[in-house]
Amino acid sequence: MTGNLYVVSGPSGAGKGTLLSRVLQRLDAVWLSVSATTRPPRKGEEEGVQYFFLSDEAFDALIAEDELLEWATVHGERYGTIRKEVEQRLNEGIDVVLEIDPQGAFQVQSRFPQAILIYIAPPSLKVLERRLKGRGTESEASIQRRMKNAIVEMEYRDKYHVVIVNDNLKAAAEKLYQEILGDDARMSPS
Ligand code: ADP
Ligand code: 5GP
């Protein structure tokens, strides 16, 4: 028996991290993959918890050794999923969640066609900007870069199996919970 693979994407600031932490608190048996990245840690982030924070050279080595299931450059930094960790858990029958960008999501889908793709959308770009500013983790330049990317990233939403608009936090968390809990067969996206 192999575990289910869930891929969660959405613009930076849409609320992916907030929703996943709420939902995964209630789903002990689901494992959230920890990615590798070249971006520096934000205040409060810890090595091996939010990410494995790597130098450019260390990230190059992971690529060269084919240790990444997928990787992409997002907002000017590289991010990738560590293959061994994911494949091992899936083979043990454990459900796995990847929180990755659309470029990575489609790479994963080509290797795991059964993966369930979930898109977290903000109610509007205005709200997205407000959330990014409110989070207080990004410089103004980084916010503007993330807003620009959000416009491009939103165009991929129709390629996902499920789109959840994160307006009311409680309602959106409940929808995400039901998606991950539910085991029903789904139609392929167009
Ligand atoms: P992401 O992981 O997609 O980059 P975060 O989870 O960090 O986004 O959320 C961005 C900011 O928006 C955070 O400050 C978070 O507390 C806030 N936020 C998330 N969801 C909601 C919501 N439904 N309503 C209001 N604020 C929210
Ligand atoms: P942040 O820097 O805000 O944590 O993440 C920025 C973006 O990188 C988000 O869109 C997030 O989904 C994406 N991301 C995080 N980890 C990975 C990964 O392993 N692979 C890919 N392709 N994207 C990732």
Side-chain angles (χ1 to χ4, degrees), residues 29-186:
V30 179
W31 182 71
L32 177 64
S33 168
V34 179
S35 295
T37 183
T38 57
R39 93 149 158 73
R42 294 178 186 137
K43 208 165 165 245
E45 287 185 331
E46 286 174 50
E47 172 67 15
V49 178
Q50 289 80 13
Y51 287 103
F52 295 103
F53 296 98
L54 303 185
S55 63
D56 269 322
E57 293 71 24
F59 201 95
D60 285 342
L62 287 184
I63 297 172
E65 286 151 25
D66 198 27
E67 288 193 29
L68 298 179
L69 185 60
E70 61 74 34
W71 69 273
T73 300
V74 190
H75 316 308
E77 298 286 355
R78 290 185 292 172
Y79 296 79
T81 304
I82 299 165
R83 175 200 303 284
K84 203 169 86 187
E85 299 274 324
V86 171
E87 289 183 348
Q88 197 172 312
R89 285 179 175 80
L90 289 175
N91 289 337
E92 288 167 2
I94 297 170
D95 289 352
V96 172
V97 174
L98 308 180
E99 198 245 275
I100 63 177
D101 90 309
Q103 304 170 73
F106 303 130
Q107 291 177 50
V108 169
Q109 190 177 40
S110 66
R111 286 170 198 226
F112 294 91
Q114 76 279 22
I116 295 156
L117 272 55
I118 302 173
Y119 195 92
I120 308 294
S124 67
L125 288 174
K126 213 169 144 190
V127 171
L128 182 69
E129 188 167 10
R130 201 186 307 144
R131 285 188 189 162
L132 275 173
K133 286 190 170 150
R135 191 168 71 186
T137 55
E138 309 303 316
S139 65
E140 187 54 30
S142 170
I143 290 173
Q144 290 320 319
R145 177 175 221 166
R146 282 161 194 260
M147 288 303 299
K148 247 179 155 171
N149 285 343
I151 295 165
V152 178
E153 280 191 19
M154 288 289 277
E155 288 176 11
Y156 295 109
R157 62 194 276 173
D158 294 343
K159 300 213 176 294
Y160 283 66
H161 298 97
V162 182
V163 178
I164 297 175
V165 178
N166 179 20
D167 191 351
N168 177 283
L169 183 58
K170 202 169 163 212
E174 189 56 34
K175 275 189 198 153
L176 183 59
Y177 177 74
Q178 293 301 337
E179 284 304 331
I180 296 182
L181 191 70
D183 231 353
D184 47 326
R186 288 177 176 82

